[in-house]
Amino acid sequence: MTKEEIGDLFKRGVDCSQMVVEKFSDELGIPREEAFKAAAAFGGGLGIGETCGAVVGAMIVLGLKYGNTGADQLEQKNILNAKRSEFIEKFKAKHKSCSCRELLGYDFSKEDEVAKIFEENLLFDFCPNVVQAAIDVLDEMEK
């Protein structure tokens, strides 16, 4: 996706987490609508500036692809844990943090800081780069 396409999706109410999961929905064998719903609550760092929604979306993708399906699957859990660590390391090489608040420099849970996010156009200028970075890292991990 281009920066403009990601920005347009933000304007239309799609969160960063949703974009990441939806991008991989076909590969994961889940309907696009389910991908959107599964990732719907994570934008804005859970709405409180915690873990970046694009990172949470990536974790959903990794969980769906590599996660264990029940008890006594420690080998599979170890595979997922390794994939999670790999993603975080590669993402942090592109961006300084996985925290929405730290990435933006503002907190989505504070009304005055949300105003700053929009005043500085971060949602449409900076956040698309973060979404693309999460998608790129997941793509790199497949190679």
Side-chain angles (χ1 to χ4, degrees):
M1 285 191 282
T2 67
K3 184 175 180 176
E4 292 75 25
E5 289 170 329
I6 295 168
D8 182 57
L9 288 171
F10 279 134
K11 289 175 187 171
R12 295 171 55 208
V14 179
D15 287 330
C16 43
S17 53
Q18 292 174 301
M19 289 182 222
V20 173
V21 178
E22 189 274 333
K23 171 75 169 79
F24 294 92
S25 61
D26 286 343
E27 177 184 326
L28 296 167
I30 60 172
R32 181 175 180 262
E33 295 80 13
E34 291 300 315
F36 274 107
K37 285 170 58 175
F42 302 108
L46 306 174
I48 56 173
E50 295 296 334
T51 304
C52 167
V55 172
V56 174
M59 294 301 112
I60 293 169
V61 169
L62 292 175
L64 288 168
K65 187 161 187 172
Y66 299 105
N68 57 308
T69 57
D72 301 320
Q73 296 180 4
L74 295 179
E75 185 176 333
Q76 191 62 43
K77 190 164 183 85
N78 289 336
I79 291 169
L80 173 62
N81 289 341
K83 291 292 185 179
R84 177 180 55 210
S85 293
E86 180 184 356
F87 175 88
I88 291 170
E89 180 182 325
K90 289 181 177 189
F91 183 85
K92 282 185 170 182
K94 296 175 184 275
H95 293 282
K96 63 183 177 181
S97 175
C98 290
S99 163
C100 180
R101 185 180 307 111
E102 290 177 18
L103 289 166
L104 287 173
Y106 297 106
D107 187 338
F108 260 106
S109 70
K110 298 179 179 171
E111 205 171 302
D112 59 325
E113 292 191 30
V114 170
K116 293 280 190 190
I117 291 167
F118 283 97
E119 283 172 25
E120 295 181 23
N121 207 34
L122 293 171
L123 189 64
F124 307 110
D125 190 39
F126 176 74
C127 290
N129 299 325
V130 177
V131 170
Q132 192 60 56
I135 291 169
D136 289 347
V137 169
L138 288 170
D139 280 338
E140 289 168 17
M141 291 173 64
E142 293 303 308
K143 295 174 179 147

